[in-house]
Amino acid sequence: MVFAYPYQGVPCYLINLGQYAAQQVSLTTPDGSAYQSPQGVGPNQSLVAFVAICTHQLTYPTPRISLLRYASSSSEIAQQAKRIVCCAHGSVFDPVQGARQVAGPAPNALLPVMLSHDIDTDRLTATGTVGEDFFQRFFKAYKGDLIERFGPGGYRQPVSAHTRTIPLSQFSAQVPAC
């Protein structure tokens, strides 16, 4: 699933790992700050979320195409199922281990989105991220594209209390199976 967080112009992935519980891993942001990846939430601790922007060259899903995708089955690049792959340059990330980079040129893991889950209402809430400098780098690199989609400054607007999640296949017209 795709959703915007913490800003309207920042795409994120919400992934249900199924029977796998996310592990807590020590990682670093692109600016070198250390953090612990959040554990999964939900009934099986299997719901995780990550900023859907590759840390290599900022590839991200757009309405036209998504070269960054969750590979639920094995692929040539992913080498095994349940990996996030960047078809642009071949980086592979393991969402069970905090979206840690396991192959390719990406220098860092995908940035985490911290989640909380209310058992009584089955409500999922995004509660934070890391790597504010990374978002600013992304905004600078794709300013023209983001203004075209969101209007001047619209891409920098914080997400309101509710955001919509949609399947990647409905968000992007093309999702190559790399």
Side-chain angles (χ1 to χ4, degrees):
M1 301 294 281
V2 179
F3 66 101
Y5 187 82
Y7 303 102
Q8 294 294 331
V10 175
C12 298
Y13 287 151
L14 173 64
I15 300 170
N16 185 343
L17 300 172
Q19 75 255 20
Y20 298 99
Q23 302 167 4
Q24 201 166 35
V25 179
S26 295
L27 299 166
T28 58
T29 64
D31 71 1
S33 300
Y35 68 93
Q36 289 288 314
S37 65
Q39 294 181 319
V41 300
N44 298 322
Q45 288 74 46
S46 62
L47 297 174
V48 293
F50 304 99
V51 173
I53 302 170
C54 184
T55 56
H56 176 232
Q57 290 191 353
L58 307 177
T59 299
Y60 70 105
T62 69
R64 188 177 70 73
I65 191 167
S66 181
L67 295 176
L68 187 71
R69 72 179 187 92
Y70 177 68
S72 57
S73 59
S74 181
S75 73
E76 184 177 337
I77 293 175
Q79 297 294 312
Q80 66 184 55
K82 301 188 184 305
R83 296 280 174 94
I84 300 168
V85 292
C86 182
C87 300
H89 302 104
S91 291
V92 181
F93 307 90
D94 185 349
V96 172
Q97 296 183 17
R100 178 180 66 82
Q101 181 265 11
V102 294
N108 301 91
L110 297 179
L111 296 178
V113 175
M114 287 66 142
L115 300 173
S116 69
H117 178 252
D118 184 316
I119 296 169
D120 296 332
T121 63
D122 198 28
R123 179 176 226 109
L124 199 59
T125 304
T127 61
T129 64
V130 298
E132 182 63 30
D133 290 346
F134 183 76
F135 299 135
Q136 300 314 313
R137 191 172 120 215
F138 170 70
F139 291 155
K140 184 177 179 182
Y142 290 103
K143 183 177 183 177
D145 295 336
L146 294 167
I147 288 173
E148 186 177 309
R149 284 186 50 217
F150 298 97
Y155 59 94
R156 290 178 181 260
Q157 292 297 312
V159 171
S160 66
H162 301 280
T163 187
R164 193 173 134 208
T165 60
I166 60 173
L168 179 60
S169 60
Q170 292 176 20
F171 181 83
S172 295
Q174 291 181 307
V175 183
C178 59

